[in-house]
Amino acid sequence: MNTPMNSQEAMLDLLESWVSRKWLREMDVALVRFFASEVSGLDPALMLATALVSHQLGRGHVCLDLVATLNDPFMALSLPPEESETPEHEETLQPKDLLEQMSPQAWISRLTQVELVGAGEGRTPLVLIGHRLYLRRYWRYERQVEAAIDARIAKSQQIAEQLPELEFKTALGSLFPPSDHKTDWQKVACALAARSAFSIVTGGPGTGKTTTVVRLLALLQSIALATGQQRPLQIRLAAPTGKAAARLKESITRAIDNLPGFVQENSALKASIPSDVTTLHRLLGPKPNSRFFRHDARNPLPLDVLVIDEGSMVDLEMMAATLLALPPSARLILLGDKDQLASVEAGSVLGELCRRAEAGHFTPETSQWIETMTGDAIDGSLANSSGSPLDQQIVMLRESRRFVASSGIGQLASAVNAGDPKQIQQVWEKGYPDLRRLDCRSLDEAEFASILIGQGDAEDVPQGRAGYLKLVAAEQPSIDAGKPAFDTWAERVLKAFGRFQLLCALRNGPFGVTGLNQRIETFLAKQGLIDPSNQWYAGRPVLITRNDYQSGLMNGDIGITLPYPFFNKAKQRLEWSLRVAFPSINAQAIYWALPSRLLSAETVFALTVHKSQGSEFEHCVLLLPPQRNPVLTRELVYTGITRGKKWFTLVGVGNRQILEEAVSRTVQRSGGLFSAESQVLGTDA
């Protein structure tokens, strides 16, 4: 009998049927076809694995974890997709049907096509390491990242030995006056990073990551100036997206102004701490129509220190490219929240690097050095005589200054992060004024509509979408007003729009951004707030979905469509047109884009949680779908909650238990960065 697991033809037919149902991408099966054309006697089990490893890459996984796939195919693969529909009269085999009788050992034994699958070094397109199957390029990225970090960790010993103790202690003490805290983790992070060529500062919202890094930069520059270096350190600041870069610039500027007096009084020192922030793409300089960048090992970045914020959003390929472009002598400092969602693209670099950060794992030598240099003792529960060299480069900030004890948002985020259903329920029962939960039967209910509209324009009430749309209508300048007037108006509209955001877990379906943006557009039109009779209309918010280096607009940038005057040469008069107003990355002016030039833009009344990373909103609403889905995880809920600054609303539809179900699952991105298996392998050139 020709079943898919014993017939090439039957397997290819099945994979093609999955493509037709949009379970797989065309490129996933194209790779299988190519292998089948190049190698005779291709095992159907390898054909399946090839399609799945490509599929997993599209879902953010670096590799295909064979064990996880066999244990729970749906949750591991999200295949078939939750929103897919198969006609009732059709019976379609699913991955679980093919794999239910297979053991990991049996599957691995069928992946022994030597022309295609290797064990590390070599040129095979696939690499099998233990129970992980990689496309070679991504296995190489992992090994490159590991090798580059290991090299910088090794260099840290030299930096520590050359650190001038007197100047170091003096500057550190000035930057961090004695506190009542048992351990000042910002001070500890600053000290450890100062002696390291590679360091990570992780922590939740409000724990002071930006404050810490600004004081670290002041410390490094003060030491450089005090020890007679010929020039200040060349420092660059970067973030994965334009939105995150703009937020970091604002935070850095505030933090510089709040530095202690000895920095403010030293103009040379203060001037040496940069506040300009760029995106990683802009920093590296992408080559047109290529995956490569202008800056690489042969043309390294001209800098001494690189700080990257929102490290959880940096994917594996980008991290490999960044490390490749760093001069051997440069320091790399990563900032980010390890508990947030991983990058949209493949890899969970920060999460994998920080998997042990909660427990510290500081060696006695590290603990002693910290106490000697800072005067702060490390709790014994965070010590580990067997702590790895990587553990010594990572500090987790443990006290939030943004969420006070009276903050429901902070309490809920903490309970969700702990994965404790009872604690979560207790938070809801306390009735915090900044929290609201709506469990409705459908999105047609009036309460959901009221959330979308908001409670008014006052600073002390939850915002909705009506606020910015009223500004669009009420404060439009006259047609002959100058550009400054239109810029000021656009800035007010953009600020008002950013006060509220509806977040979704899913992209497609009625509870995804696609369906919700249509629903909200229709609802706002019925309220008379917009007129969507044409594709482009006043008040339409749009999200850029692809980097455009000519215009300077980056993936994730949000703009608002507004009336804007243009001079009609034929009629010799000003007339109204539409432009999309974007905040500049330096927040100095508005960039007015022609709608016709925005080829990669979509309406964004609702936004995925992934796309919201790096942003904050006064009122954040998180909508959870009724059915379980692999994307519904603790990290997604936590990320959604922590986007809210003043108010957070949770909306569930038809399933009150969906929150607890989501929190019970954590992100399981398949990858092997600094895994035990990878440590015994060499690096592929």
Side-chain angles (χ1 to χ4, degrees):
M1 181 180 177
N2 286 342
T3 64
M5 292 303 285
N6 62 27
S7 166
Q8 282 191 22
E9 184 178 354
M11 177 60 74
L12 192 57
D13 286 344
L14 178 63
L15 295 177
E16 297 278 11
S17 76
W18 290 359
V19 172
S20 68
R21 291 174 171 81
K22 299 182 178 181
W23 295 8
L24 294 178
R25 303 170 298 174
E26 173 61 32
M27 65 170 46
D28 301 330
V29 181
L31 183 62
V32 179
R33 292 195 210 98
F34 175 72
F35 286 173
S37 69
E38 295 293 317
V39 177
S40 61
L42 196 61
D43 192 312
L46 179 54
M47 297 171 69
L48 176 64
T50 299
L52 294 181
V53 75
S54 177
H55 165 74
Q56 290 294 77
L57 192 64
R59 296 184 56 241
H61 297 269
V62 174
C63 59
L64 173 68
D65 188 318
L66 303 177
V67 172
T69 301
L70 292 173
N71 286 340
D72 191 344
F74 173 71
M75 298 307 287
L77 302 172
S78 189
L79 186 64
E82 187 76 50
E83 66 272 12
S84 67
E85 294 184 5
T86 300
E88 293 183 3
H89 65 276
E90 292 187 22
E91 292 187 4
T92 303
L93 290 173
Q94 299 182 12
K96 64 179 178 63
D97 302 318
L98 303 178
L99 300 171
E100 57 188 359
Q101 302 300 324
M102 185 116 30
S103 68
Q105 294 74 22
W107 201 359
I108 290 171
S109 70
R110 296 182 64 174
L111 306 182
T112 54
Q113 202 90 30
V114 295
E115 303 97 327
L116 298 177
V117 185
E121 303 288 349
R123 296 186 177 275
T124 57
L126 299 171
V127 176
L128 180 63
I129 305 296
H131 55 86
R132 299 187 182 98
L133 183 68
Y134 294 82
L135 292 176
R136 174 166 293 279
R137 179 154 56 92
Y138 285 86
W139 177 81
R140 186 182 296 118
Y141 290 150
E142 277 197 347
R143 304 292 78 76
Q144 288 174 344
V145 168
E146 286 183 357
I149 291 175
D150 280 337
R152 281 181 160 72
I153 291 175
K155 188 175 181 296
S156 296
Q157 181 63 35
Q158 179 185 352
I159 294 175
E161 292 171 354
Q162 296 175 351
L163 202 64
E165 185 172 337
L166 178 61
E167 289 84 353
F168 177 83
K169 283 186 172 181
T170 301
L172 189 65
S174 300
L175 289 164
F176 294 93
S179 70
D180 297 331
H181 301 288
K182 183 178 181 182
T183 303
D184 186 339
W185 285 106
Q186 292 187 8
K187 187 177 184 180
V188 171
C190 201
L192 281 179
R195 73 167 195 174
S196 304
F198 172 80
S199 54
I200 298 176
V201 180
T202 185
T207 52
K209 297 184 290 293
T210 304
T211 299
T212 301
V213 81
V214 167
R215 296 192 179 195
L216 169 61
L217 299 181
L219 175 64
L220 294 175
Q221 292 288 31
S222 68
I223 292 173
L225 294 172
T227 54
Q229 292 190 24
Q230 294 184 349
R231 59 170 178 79
L233 298 170
Q234 297 294 312
I235 300 171
R236 297 297 303 274
L237 309 173
T241 66
K243 188 75 171 179
R247 272 196 62 219
L248 179 61
K249 177 181 173 61
E250 295 173 2
S251 300
I252 288 281
T253 301
R254 289 196 300 268
I256 291 174
D257 290 337
N258 291 327
L259 283 168
F262 89 97
V263 179
Q264 307 296 341
E265 295 163 5
N266 188 331
S267 58
L269 175 57
K270 186 176 181 180
S272 70
I273 305 170
S275 60
D276 287 335
V277 186
T278 186
T279 64
L280 274 175
H281 274 90
R282 287 194 182 100
L283 180 70
L284 295 178
K287 293 182 177 180
N289 304 314
S290 167
R291 304 182 76 98
F292 301 104
F293 295 92
R294 185 164 52 85
H295 289 290
D296 55 19
R298 291 173 295 182
N299 180 31
L301 291 162
L303 51 79
D304 301 304
V305 181
L306 175 61
V307 177
I308 300 176
D309 193 25
E310 296 291 350
S312 64
M313 300 171 66
V314 182
D315 62 87
L316 179 65
E317 184 176 3
M318 178 58 73
M319 184 59 73
T322 301
L323 287 164
L324 191 67
L326 283 181
S329 59
R331 298 172 186 256
L332 175 61
I333 303 162
L334 296 181
L335 309 177
D337 186 347
K338 68 177 181 62
D339 297 315
Q340 281 192 29
L341 283 169
S343 59
V344 175
E345 303 298 329
S348 180
V349 178
L350 189 74
E352 289 189 83
L353 293 176
C354 294
R355 63 168 68 94
R356 289 158 55 94
E358 188 90 33
H361 295 283
F362 297 114
T363 63
E365 294 78 12
T366 299
S367 298
Q368 183 59 56
W369 186 89
I370 291 171
E371 188 167 0
T372 300
M373 292 297 186
T374 70
D376 286 22
I378 301 298
D379 190 277
S381 63
L382 302 176
N384 181 356
S385 58
S386 302
S388 71
L390 177 62
D391 293 329
Q392 316 312 303
Q393 320 302 314
I394 302 171
V395 176
M396 179 177 170
L397 305 181
R398 300 167 186 268
E399 180 183 358
S400 177
R401 293 166 171 80
R402 173 175 147 191
F403 297 130
V404 297
S406 60
S407 165
I409 296 176
Q411 296 297 321
L412 183 61
S414 178
V416 165
N417 215 9
D420 188 340
K422 290 184 179 179
Q423 189 180 345
I424 293 171
Q425 185 59 33
Q426 289 171 357
V427 173
W428 290 121
E429 291 173 352
K430 286 185 178 179
Y432 289 100
D434 57 345
L435 290 181
R436 180 183 179 186
R437 180 167 183 172
L438 172 63
D439 291 286
C440 52
R441 294 180 181 179
S442 79
L443 295 179
D444 295 322
E445 293 185 12
E447 281 192 86
F448 182 65
S450 70
I451 291 171
L452 291 178
I453 291 293
Q455 296 182 17
D457 302 328
E459 295 289 330
D460 59 346
V461 296
Q463 303 298 302
R465 282 288 172 245
Y468 92 94
L469 289 170
K470 289 177 179 178
L471 282 179
V472 172
E475 298 193 7
Q476 180 180 326
S478 62
I479 196 169
D480 57 350
K483 185 175 183 299
F486 281 90
D487 285 352
T488 300
W489 174 49
E491 287 173 353
R492 284 177 50 79
V493 171
L494 286 162
K495 183 179 180 181
F497 179 84
R499 297 179 69 186
F500 171 86
Q501 187 61 60
L502 173 64
L503 301 180
C504 311
L506 307 178
R507 171 135 187 100
N508 299 312
F511 303 101
V513 293
T514 305
L516 279 165
N517 277 315
Q518 293 175 354
R519 174 186 285 272
I520 295 169
E521 192 174 64
T522 301
F523 169 74
L524 294 174
K526 289 180 179 178
Q527 300 296 313
L529 294 169
I530 59 173
D531 179 14
S533 53
N534 295 306
Q535 178 187 5
W536 293 98
Y537 55 86
R540 181 192 176 195
V542 295
L543 173 78
I544 300 300
T545 59
R546 184 178 300 174
N547 294 338
D548 183 349
Y549 296 100
Q550 288 188 336
S551 67
L553 296 174
M554 297 288 112
N555 184 4
D557 288 347
I558 292 177
I560 307 293
T561 310
L562 296 172
Y564 195 79
F566 84 102
F567 187 74
N568 189 322
K569 292 182 179 180
K571 297 180 180 180
Q572 289 293 296
R573 69 184 187 193
L574 287 170
E575 294 184 352
W576 288 110
S577 65
L578 289 174
R579 296 287 191 276
V580 185
F582 291 92
S584 75
I585 193 168
N586 295 319
Q588 295 175 344
I590 295 295
Y591 175 70
W592 296 89
L594 280 166
S596 59
R597 297 288 302 274
L598 303 179
L599 301 179
S600 301
E602 59 187 36
T603 303
V604 67
F605 288 114
L607 190 66
T608 64
V609 177
H610 263 108
K611 287 289 188 182
S612 75
Q613 292 192 95
S615 300
E616 292 179 338
F617 314 96
E618 289 187 11
H619 182 198
C620 178
V621 178
L622 175 61
L623 173 67
L624 297 181
Q627 291 89 24
R628 74 167 194 160
N629 190 292
V631 305
L632 288 178
T633 62
R634 184 183 307 168
E635 291 84 354
L636 180 137
V637 175
Y638 170 81
T639 302
I641 294 170
T642 55
R643 297 313 89 199
K645 293 194 293 185
K646 289 186 177 181
W647 302 279
F648 173 76
T649 300
L650 180 76
V651 178
V653 185
N655 182 0
R656 187 171 177 80
Q657 302 305 314
I658 192 64
L659 174 63
E660 289 70 23
E661 292 174 16
V663 170
S664 68
R665 294 188 65 249
T666 59
V667 172
Q668 299 295 328
R669 281 272 175 104
S670 297
L673 193 62
F674 281 96
S675 67
E677 292 168 331
S678 73
Q679 301 305 295
V680 299
L681 301 170
T683 304
D684 193 5

